[in-house]
Amino acid sequence: MTRRIDIAVPDIGDFTDVPVIEVLVAAGDAVAAEQSLVTLESDKATMEVPAPVAGVIVELRVQLDDTVSQGDIVAVIDASDEVAAVDQAATPVKPVEPEPVAEKNRVTAAIPAAPPAAGRRQSPPIPMDASATLPSSTPYASPAIRRFARELGADLARVTGSARGGRIIREDVTALVKSVMTGSAAPASGSLGFDLPPPPKVNFARYGEIELRPLSRIQKISGAYLHRNWLSIPHVTQNDLADITDMEVYRKANADKAKEQGFKLTPLVFLIKATVAALKEFPIFNASLDEARENLVLKKFFHIGIAVDTPNGLVVPVLRDCDQKDIFQLAAELAELSQKARDGKLKPIEMQGGCFSISSLGGIGGTSFTPIINAPEVAILGVSRSSISPQWNGESFQPRLLLPLSLSYDHRVIDGANAARFARYLAARLEDFENMDL
Ligand code: CAO
């Protein structure tokens, strides 16, 4: 018996007139339940509308570049039992793999299709994987294109998107594959233009006992991004010292208040506030290069990423709107996010949208280090352990508590004089903390 079901755009939040950026099926195609039919793209997210059930697409009601809103019908499916049975046999439903999140703070997710009929199972959203949203950017492509690239073994990082805003489409992926097949594309290892000798192969067991320990998933993913950022961004690190003697008196006087509320008041939240003040004073630090590397995108919001050391590796949750929160709110949020990070429970969205990162090793030690910029950000602040040091005040040496700051910056965007000014300004804010917006 024929059972035609209208597939409607489900609740997509506040968005209306969302463009259809991909049509992934044609009329007559047999589709499996949860197979993506079309991809929609709002300003903030790329979303797929999946088939609610297995069947045959009998009518496609949208085409590329149409705009749709909640409730609009995108397709009609024939979900008669015979069709579904044939389809199930032909196309077993594979478990849905998590999709890396696309660039530009976009959230990529599948949205459940509108309920087809009472009591029928709804497609669940594609699960998101925290490690897929590690620092910095991933190529801008929809989940379907990522799947396509994966099937072909094509590395999306090497593909230049030709659609609006640099989005990668199917043709871009096939063009890369073709160029590799014909030998006109550079090999992957040469994609940054380096011709490095391979690392030496050493049989360590010849020299003593060894043990193999696999890298964690987070280490593997973040390692690739760190490597790319280190090689592709000309880093310079500016070091400075902030005299936080007075700030520490204030912090300690307020530590119990924080403790009563169940979190610690560490120097980090003061650093976040000082960083926000410095970003306001030097907007070039709150910026990213656009994809063509011809413009700076200046951000008017203040979301700060904090590097958190977890048993599985480094992750960078983002504290949002730090300009609008006081140090106690920030400390409470930091405690919550860093605990979630350590438990491996951060949501992708909680690691996106950062403007500037802080990596604090102050709780551990050290006097300075060179933090790696978390692209597409253009600077990162490293913080080492404060220590008492004799400071000359013109008449005598005084014991002062000095906090080492290490500001790494992208020299394509920021010149050394501005970096020195930024670091000094930041230090001065901590020294004059009473006039800071705490
Ligand atoms: N100087 C001296 N003491 C400091 C300090 C500093 N710069 N920064 C923190 N401390 C103190 C704190 O006050 C706290 O003291 P008490 O235990 O007496 O209260 C202690 O050191 C531990 O602080 P913390 O590390 O728990 O808290 P935090 O707010 O400073 O940092 C977090 C939170 C999540 C950033 C931190 O736990 C962390 O994971 N740091 C590692 C980040 C990292 O790995 N960066 C490297 C990235 S590159 O690989």
Side-chain angles (χ1 to χ4, degrees):
M1 196 183 71
T2 304
R3 194 160 57 87
R4 291 163 71 100
I5 296 171
D6 288 347
I7 304 173
V9 176
D11 182 359
I12 48 174
D14 295 335
F15 304 113
T16 53
D17 299 328
V18 180
V20 175
I21 60 160
E22 265 163 3
V23 178
L24 305 161
V25 291
D29 282 0
V31 295
E34 293 170 27
Q35 183 174 333
S36 302
L37 307 179
V38 297
T39 309
L40 315 178
E41 183 187 62
S42 73
D43 290 347
K44 299 217 172 72
T46 307
M47 302 156 278
E48 291 186 350
V49 180
V53 289
V56 169
I57 300 296
V58 287
E59 199 184 328
L60 208 55
R61 296 251 181 105
V62 290
Q63 49 187 352
L64 207 60
D65 295 332
D66 280 358
T67 54
V68 292
S69 304
Q70 181 180 346
D72 289 350
I73 307 296
V74 294
V76 181
I77 190 169
D78 175 4
S80 60
D81 292 344
E82 309 83 73
V83 169
V86 170
D87 174 50
Q88 296 274 336
T91 339
V93 180
K94 289 190 207 132
V96 185
E97 288 175 39
E99 294 294 344
V101 171
E103 206 172 1
K104 298 195 286 189
N105 310 335
R106 286 165 197 276
V107 180
T108 304
I111 45 181
R120 191 162 286 278
R121 186 168 64 94
Q122 258 193 246
S123 314
I126 286 178
M128 305 292 275
D129 171 354
S131 57
T133 56
L134 280 163
S136 102
S137 54
T138 54
Y140 173 24
S142 73
I145 293 301
R146 290 173 186 285
R147 253 188 320 267
F148 178 58
R150 260 203 311 274
E151 279 161 17
L152 295 180
D155 176 6
L156 279 183
R158 301 178 60 202
V159 181
T160 307
S162 62
R164 186 166 55 92
R167 184 169 53 81
I168 298 169
I169 55 176
R170 207 177 164 89
E171 288 70 23
D172 300 327
V173 178
T174 42
L176 172 80
V177 173
K178 265 189 207 156
S179 62
V180 170
M181 300 298 283
T182 57
S184 57
S189 60
S191 55
L192 275 173
F194 293 102
D195 187 15
L196 301 172
K201 279 189 186 161
V202 179
N203 178 4
F204 300 104
R206 281 181 59 199
Y207 307 107
E209 191 187 330
I210 58 165
E211 176 196 331
L212 271 192
R213 184 176 301 169
L215 291 179
S216 72
R217 188 167 151 65
I218 290 184
Q219 280 177 313
K220 280 190 206 159
I221 295 172
S222 62
Y225 288 129
L226 288 166
H227 190 193
R228 180 202 56 195
N229 294 348
W230 183 247
L231 288 178
S232 64
I233 302 174
H235 282 67
V236 181
T237 304
Q238 171 73 19
N239 294 303
D240 208 332
L241 291 166
D243 183 335
I244 58 164
T245 316
D246 300 334
M247 189 198 92
E248 269 299 277
V249 174
Y250 178 86
R251 184 182 74 83
K252 285 191 173 145
N254 283 278
D256 285 347
K257 192 171 150 192
K259 207 170 168 189
E260 281 162 20
Q261 296 172 59
F263 51 82
K264 278 199 281 192
L265 191 67
T266 67
L268 190 48
V269 286
F270 294 81
L271 279 152
I272 294 172
K273 292 306 275 187
T275 297
V276 168
L279 291 175
K280 285 184 176 170
E281 187 71 16
F282 301 91
I284 199 175
F285 285 79
N286 193 7
S288 290
L289 275 173
D290 71 0
E291 283 167 44
R293 294 190 193 152
E294 294 200 351
N295 300 290
L296 269 185
V297 181
L298 296 165
K299 295 158 208 170
K300 312 284 176 176
F301 48 90
F302 299 90
H303 303 338
I304 307 292
I306 303 292
V308 177
D309 179 33
T310 80
N312 289 321
L314 173 72
V315 288
V316 188
V318 174
L319 292 171
R320 290 184 190 274
D321 299 314
C322 296
D323 55 325
Q324 294 163 35
K325 293 173 184 163
D326 67 26
I327 49 173
F328 291 95
Q329 284 171 294
L330 290 172
E333 266 187 46
L334 177 65
E336 191 192 325
L337 279 179
S338 48
Q339 192 53 50
K340 267 177 140 178
R342 292 190 182 105
D343 295 343
K345 290 190 176 150
L346 281 177
K347 294 190 195 118
I349 192 73
E350 289 170 321
M351 291 182 277
Q352 295 164 4
C355 305
F356 180 100
S357 298
I358 301 180
S359 175
S360 174
L361 294 174
I364 303 170
T367 54
S368 75
F369 64 106
T370 307
I372 298 181
I373 296 165
N374 187 8
E377 296 166 17
V378 293
I380 179 169
L381 181 69
V383 184
S384 299
R385 193 164 186 79
S386 59
S387 61
I388 303 268
S389 149
Q391 293 296 302
W392 183 249
N393 67 5
E395 289 170 1
S396 60
F397 280 104
Q398 295 295 320
R400 305 294 295 178
L401 185 64
L402 300 186
L403 178 70
L405 305 173
S406 306
L407 175 75
S408 289
Y409 58 93
D410 183 339
H411 210 343
R412 293 171 302 178
V413 177
I414 294 160
D415 59 30
N418 270 335
R421 286 187 194 106
F422 182 95
R424 193 76 301 277
Y425 185 88
L426 204 156
R429 294 280 65 73
L430 296 170
E431 286 159 7
D432 183 29
F433 76 97
E434 278 163 333
N435 287 318
M436 202 160 58
D437 166 34
L438 292 177

